Short mmCIF file of all heavy atoms in Angstrom, two decimals:
data_model
loop_
_atom_site.label_atom_id
_atom_site.label_comp_id
_atom_site.label_asym_id
_atom_site.label_seq_id
_atom_site.Cartn_x
_atom_site.Cartn_y
_atom_site.Cartn_z
N PHE A 112 26.58 16.48 13.07
CA PHE A 112 25.36 16.36 12.28
C PHE A 112 25.15 17.60 11.41
O PHE A 112 24.91 17.50 10.21
CB PHE A 112 24.16 16.15 13.22
CG PHE A 112 22.85 15.95 12.53
CD1 PHE A 112 22.45 14.68 12.15
CD2 PHE A 112 22.00 17.01 12.29
CE1 PHE A 112 21.22 14.47 11.53
CE2 PHE A 112 20.78 16.83 11.67
CZ PHE A 112 20.39 15.55 11.29
N ASN A 113 25.24 18.78 12.02
CA ASN A 113 25.05 20.04 11.29
C ASN A 113 26.09 20.22 10.20
O ASN A 113 25.79 20.75 9.13
CB ASN A 113 25.08 21.22 12.25
CG ASN A 113 23.89 21.24 13.18
OD1 ASN A 113 22.86 20.64 12.91
ND2 ASN A 113 24.03 21.90 14.30
N LYS A 114 27.32 19.78 10.46
CA LYS A 114 28.40 19.94 9.48
C LYS A 114 28.21 19.04 8.27
O LYS A 114 28.52 19.44 7.14
CB LYS A 114 29.76 19.64 10.15
CG LYS A 114 30.93 19.83 9.23
CD LYS A 114 32.25 19.65 9.96
CE LYS A 114 33.41 19.86 9.02
NZ LYS A 114 34.70 19.73 9.71
N TYR A 115 27.69 17.82 8.47
CA TYR A 115 27.66 16.85 7.38
C TYR A 115 26.27 16.56 6.82
O TYR A 115 26.11 15.68 5.97
CB TYR A 115 28.33 15.54 7.83
CG TYR A 115 29.81 15.73 7.98
CD1 TYR A 115 30.39 15.92 9.23
CD2 TYR A 115 30.65 15.75 6.86
CE1 TYR A 115 31.75 16.11 9.37
CE2 TYR A 115 32.01 15.96 7.00
CZ TYR A 115 32.55 16.13 8.25
OH TYR A 115 33.91 16.34 8.38
N THR A 116 25.26 17.28 7.28
CA THR A 116 23.93 17.14 6.69
C THR A 116 23.42 18.54 6.37
O THR A 116 23.96 19.53 6.82
CB THR A 116 22.93 16.47 7.66
OG1 THR A 116 22.62 17.37 8.73
CG2 THR A 116 23.48 15.16 8.22
N ALA A 117 22.37 18.60 5.61
CA ALA A 117 21.75 19.88 5.28
C ALA A 117 20.71 20.26 6.34
O ALA A 117 20.03 21.28 6.20
CB ALA A 117 21.10 19.80 3.91
N GLU A 118 20.60 19.46 7.37
CA GLU A 118 19.60 19.68 8.42
C GLU A 118 20.15 20.61 9.51
O GLU A 118 21.34 20.66 9.74
CB GLU A 118 19.20 18.35 9.05
CG GLU A 118 18.72 17.31 8.06
CD GLU A 118 17.39 17.66 7.42
OE1 GLU A 118 16.52 18.19 8.12
OE2 GLU A 118 17.25 17.41 6.21
N LYS A 119 19.23 21.29 10.17
CA LYS A 119 19.63 22.21 11.24
C LYS A 119 19.46 21.58 12.63
O LYS A 119 20.05 22.02 13.59
CB LYS A 119 18.81 23.49 11.16
CG LYS A 119 19.09 24.28 9.89
CD LYS A 119 18.44 25.63 9.97
CE LYS A 119 18.50 26.39 8.68
NZ LYS A 119 19.73 26.79 8.18
N ARG A 120 18.62 20.54 12.73
CA ARG A 120 18.32 19.95 14.03
C ARG A 120 18.59 18.45 13.98
O ARG A 120 18.14 17.76 13.07
CB ARG A 120 16.86 20.21 14.36
CG ARG A 120 16.48 19.80 15.74
CD ARG A 120 15.11 20.35 16.11
NE ARG A 120 14.68 19.65 17.31
CZ ARG A 120 13.59 18.93 17.39
NH1 ARG A 120 12.79 18.82 16.37
NH2 ARG A 120 13.28 18.33 18.51
N LEU A 121 19.30 17.95 14.96
CA LEU A 121 19.65 16.55 15.04
C LEU A 121 18.41 15.66 15.08
O LEU A 121 17.51 15.89 15.88
CB LEU A 121 20.50 16.29 16.30
CG LEU A 121 20.87 14.84 16.60
CD1 LEU A 121 21.73 14.26 15.50
CD2 LEU A 121 21.57 14.75 17.95
N THR A 122 18.37 14.69 14.19
CA THR A 122 17.31 13.69 14.20
C THR A 122 17.94 12.31 14.02
O THR A 122 19.04 12.19 13.48
CB THR A 122 16.26 13.92 13.08
OG1 THR A 122 16.92 13.97 11.82
CG2 THR A 122 15.50 15.21 13.30
N VAL A 123 17.22 11.30 14.49
CA VAL A 123 17.68 9.92 14.40
C VAL A 123 16.57 9.08 13.79
O VAL A 123 15.42 9.51 13.80
CB VAL A 123 18.10 9.37 15.79
CG1 VAL A 123 19.30 10.12 16.32
CG2 VAL A 123 16.96 9.39 16.78
N PRO A 124 16.91 7.92 13.26
CA PRO A 124 18.23 7.31 13.23
C PRO A 124 19.16 8.08 12.31
O PRO A 124 18.76 8.62 11.29
CB PRO A 124 17.97 5.90 12.70
CG PRO A 124 16.70 6.02 11.92
CD PRO A 124 15.88 7.08 12.60
N PHE A 125 20.40 8.10 12.73
CA PHE A 125 21.46 8.80 12.01
C PHE A 125 22.61 7.81 11.82
O PHE A 125 23.15 7.31 12.80
CB PHE A 125 21.91 10.02 12.81
CG PHE A 125 23.00 10.84 12.19
CD1 PHE A 125 22.97 11.21 10.86
CD2 PHE A 125 24.07 11.28 12.97
CE1 PHE A 125 23.98 11.99 10.30
CE2 PHE A 125 25.08 12.06 12.43
CZ PHE A 125 25.03 12.42 11.09
N VAL A 126 22.91 7.50 10.57
CA VAL A 126 23.99 6.56 10.25
C VAL A 126 25.10 7.34 9.55
O VAL A 126 24.84 8.12 8.63
CB VAL A 126 23.49 5.41 9.34
CG1 VAL A 126 24.62 4.44 9.05
CG2 VAL A 126 22.32 4.69 9.99
N VAL A 127 26.32 7.11 10.00
CA VAL A 127 27.49 7.79 9.44
C VAL A 127 28.47 6.74 8.94
O VAL A 127 28.74 5.76 9.63
CB VAL A 127 28.19 8.67 10.50
CG1 VAL A 127 29.42 9.35 9.91
CG2 VAL A 127 27.23 9.69 11.08
N ALA A 128 29.01 6.97 7.75
CA ALA A 128 30.06 6.12 7.19
C ALA A 128 31.27 7.00 6.91
O ALA A 128 31.14 8.07 6.29
CB ALA A 128 29.59 5.45 5.90
N ILE A 129 32.42 6.57 7.40
CA ILE A 129 33.67 7.31 7.18
C ILE A 129 34.65 6.34 6.54
O ILE A 129 34.86 5.24 7.06
CB ILE A 129 34.24 7.88 8.50
CG1 ILE A 129 33.21 8.81 9.16
CG2 ILE A 129 35.57 8.62 8.24
CD1 ILE A 129 33.60 9.32 10.53
N ASN A 130 35.25 6.77 5.41
CA ASN A 130 36.21 5.88 4.75
C ASN A 130 37.64 6.20 5.16
O ASN A 130 37.87 7.09 5.99
CB ASN A 130 36.02 5.91 3.22
CG ASN A 130 36.41 7.23 2.59
OD1 ASN A 130 37.04 8.09 3.22
ND2 ASN A 130 36.04 7.42 1.34
N SER A 131 38.58 5.50 4.57
CA SER A 131 39.99 5.66 4.96
C SER A 131 40.57 7.02 4.53
O SER A 131 41.64 7.41 5.01
CB SER A 131 40.84 4.53 4.35
OG SER A 131 40.78 4.60 2.94
N LYS A 132 39.88 7.73 3.67
CA LYS A 132 40.34 9.06 3.23
C LYS A 132 39.69 10.17 4.04
O LYS A 132 39.76 11.34 3.66
CB LYS A 132 40.02 9.25 1.74
CG LYS A 132 40.72 8.25 0.85
CD LYS A 132 40.27 8.42 -0.58
CE LYS A 132 40.87 7.32 -1.43
NZ LYS A 132 40.28 7.28 -2.77
N ASP A 133 39.01 9.82 5.13
CA ASP A 133 38.29 10.77 5.98
C ASP A 133 37.06 11.37 5.31
O ASP A 133 36.55 12.40 5.75
CB ASP A 133 39.18 11.90 6.49
CG ASP A 133 40.28 11.43 7.42
OD1 ASP A 133 40.15 10.33 8.00
OD2 ASP A 133 41.27 12.17 7.58
N ASP A 134 36.59 10.75 4.21
CA ASP A 134 35.36 11.21 3.58
C ASP A 134 34.19 10.71 4.40
O ASP A 134 34.23 9.62 4.98
CB ASP A 134 35.26 10.68 2.15
CG ASP A 134 36.38 11.20 1.24
OD1 ASP A 134 36.79 12.36 1.42
OD2 ASP A 134 36.81 10.44 0.36
N VAL A 135 33.13 11.50 4.43
CA VAL A 135 31.98 11.19 5.27
C VAL A 135 30.71 11.14 4.41
O VAL A 135 30.49 12.01 3.57
CB VAL A 135 31.80 12.26 6.36
CG1 VAL A 135 30.53 12.02 7.17
CG2 VAL A 135 33.01 12.31 7.28
N LYS A 136 29.90 10.10 4.64
CA LYS A 136 28.56 10.02 4.06
C LYS A 136 27.60 9.74 5.21
O LYS A 136 27.95 9.05 6.17
CB LYS A 136 28.46 8.89 3.03
CG LYS A 136 29.10 9.22 1.72
CD LYS A 136 28.73 8.19 0.67
CE LYS A 136 29.37 8.56 -0.66
NZ LYS A 136 28.96 7.64 -1.72
N THR A 137 26.39 10.29 5.11
CA THR A 137 25.41 10.11 6.19
C THR A 137 24.06 9.69 5.63
O THR A 137 23.77 9.87 4.43
CB THR A 137 25.23 11.42 6.98
OG1 THR A 137 24.68 12.42 6.10
CG2 THR A 137 26.54 11.90 7.57
N HIS A 138 23.25 9.16 6.51
CA HIS A 138 21.86 8.84 6.18
C HIS A 138 21.01 9.11 7.42
O HIS A 138 21.37 8.72 8.53
CB HIS A 138 21.71 7.38 5.75
CG HIS A 138 20.30 7.03 5.43
ND1 HIS A 138 19.67 7.47 4.29
CD2 HIS A 138 19.38 6.32 6.12
CE1 HIS A 138 18.42 7.03 4.29
NE2 HIS A 138 18.22 6.33 5.39
N ILE A 139 19.88 9.76 7.21
CA ILE A 139 18.96 10.11 8.30
C ILE A 139 17.61 9.41 8.04
O ILE A 139 17.11 9.44 6.92
CB ILE A 139 18.73 11.63 8.36
CG1 ILE A 139 20.05 12.38 8.46
CG2 ILE A 139 17.82 11.98 9.53
CD1 ILE A 139 19.93 13.87 8.16
N GLY A 140 17.05 8.84 9.07
CA GLY A 140 15.72 8.25 8.96
C GLY A 140 15.73 6.93 8.22
O GLY A 140 16.73 6.21 8.20
N THR A 141 14.59 6.60 7.62
CA THR A 141 14.47 5.36 6.86
C THR A 141 14.53 5.71 5.38
O THR A 141 15.62 5.82 4.84
CB THR A 141 13.17 4.61 7.23
OG1 THR A 141 12.05 5.48 7.09
CG2 THR A 141 13.23 4.05 8.63
N VAL A 142 13.38 5.90 4.74
CA VAL A 142 13.32 6.30 3.33
C VAL A 142 12.28 7.40 3.17
O VAL A 142 11.36 7.52 3.97
CB VAL A 142 12.99 5.11 2.39
CG1 VAL A 142 14.11 4.09 2.39
CG2 VAL A 142 11.67 4.46 2.75
N ASP A 143 12.42 8.19 2.12
CA ASP A 143 11.46 9.26 1.84
C ASP A 143 10.04 8.69 1.76
O ASP A 143 9.82 7.63 1.16
CB ASP A 143 11.80 9.97 0.53
CG ASP A 143 13.07 10.80 0.62
OD1 ASP A 143 13.48 11.14 1.75
OD2 ASP A 143 13.66 11.10 -0.44
N GLY A 144 9.12 9.39 2.35
CA GLY A 144 7.72 9.00 2.29
C GLY A 144 7.29 8.00 3.33
O GLY A 144 6.11 7.66 3.41
N HIS A 145 8.21 7.52 4.17
CA HIS A 145 7.85 6.54 5.18
C HIS A 145 7.59 7.23 6.52
O HIS A 145 8.45 7.92 7.03
CB HIS A 145 8.97 5.50 5.35
CG HIS A 145 8.72 4.55 6.47
ND1 HIS A 145 9.59 4.42 7.53
CD2 HIS A 145 7.70 3.69 6.71
CE1 HIS A 145 9.11 3.52 8.37
NE2 HIS A 145 7.97 3.07 7.90
N ASP A 146 6.40 7.05 7.04
CA ASP A 146 6.06 7.57 8.36
C ASP A 146 5.98 6.38 9.31
O ASP A 146 4.97 5.67 9.36
CB ASP A 146 4.73 8.32 8.33
CG ASP A 146 4.38 8.93 9.68
OD1 ASP A 146 5.02 8.59 10.70
OD2 ASP A 146 3.44 9.76 9.72
N ALA A 147 7.05 6.17 10.04
CA ALA A 147 7.17 5.00 10.91
C ALA A 147 6.16 5.01 12.06
O ALA A 147 5.92 3.97 12.66
CB ALA A 147 8.58 4.90 11.47
N THR A 148 5.54 6.15 12.33
CA THR A 148 4.53 6.19 13.40
C THR A 148 3.19 5.65 12.91
O THR A 148 2.32 5.35 13.72
CB THR A 148 4.32 7.62 13.93
OG1 THR A 148 3.80 8.45 12.88
CG2 THR A 148 5.61 8.19 14.49
N LYS A 149 3.04 5.51 11.59
CA LYS A 149 1.76 5.10 11.03
C LYS A 149 1.80 3.77 10.29
O LYS A 149 0.77 3.12 10.14
CB LYS A 149 1.24 6.17 10.08
CG LYS A 149 0.91 7.47 10.77
CD LYS A 149 0.40 8.49 9.80
CE LYS A 149 0.12 9.80 10.53
NZ LYS A 149 -0.24 10.87 9.61
N GLU A 150 2.98 3.39 9.76
CA GLU A 150 3.01 2.20 8.93
C GLU A 150 4.39 1.56 8.92
O GLU A 150 5.40 2.21 9.18
CB GLU A 150 2.63 2.55 7.50
CG GLU A 150 3.61 3.55 6.87
CD GLU A 150 3.14 4.17 5.57
OE1 GLU A 150 1.98 4.00 5.20
OE2 GLU A 150 3.96 4.84 4.94
N LYS A 151 4.38 0.26 8.63
CA LYS A 151 5.64 -0.44 8.42
C LYS A 151 6.10 -0.13 7.00
O LYS A 151 5.31 0.27 6.15
CB LYS A 151 5.45 -1.95 8.58
CG LYS A 151 5.21 -2.36 10.01
CD LYS A 151 5.22 -3.86 10.11
CE LYS A 151 5.16 -4.25 11.57
NZ LYS A 151 5.57 -5.62 11.78
N MET A 152 7.38 -0.33 6.74
CA MET A 152 7.89 -0.12 5.40
C MET A 152 7.38 -1.20 4.46
O MET A 152 7.26 -2.37 4.85
CB MET A 152 9.42 -0.11 5.39
CG MET A 152 10.01 1.15 5.97
SD MET A 152 11.79 1.28 5.69
CE MET A 152 12.37 0.08 6.85
N SER A 153 7.13 -0.82 3.23
CA SER A 153 6.74 -1.78 2.20
C SER A 153 7.99 -2.57 1.78
O SER A 153 9.12 -2.18 2.11
CB SER A 153 6.17 -1.05 0.98
OG SER A 153 7.20 -0.30 0.33
#
Side-chain angles (χ1 to χ4, degrees):
F112 183 88
N113 292 338
K114 182 175 181 178
Y115 290 100
T116 71
E118 305 292 321
K119 295 190 188 295
R120 187 168 167 240
L121 175 63
T122 55
V123 295
F125 180 47
V126 181
V127 179
I129 302 174
N130 68 12
S131 62
K132 298 175 186 169
D133 294 339
D134 296 325
V135 175
K136 284 191 179 184
T137 64
H138 179 73
I139 306 165
T141 53
V142 294
D143 291 340
H145 174 239
D146 183 347
T148 63
K149 295 180 181 174
E150 62 192 10
K151 289 188 173 198
M152 286 190 286
S153 68

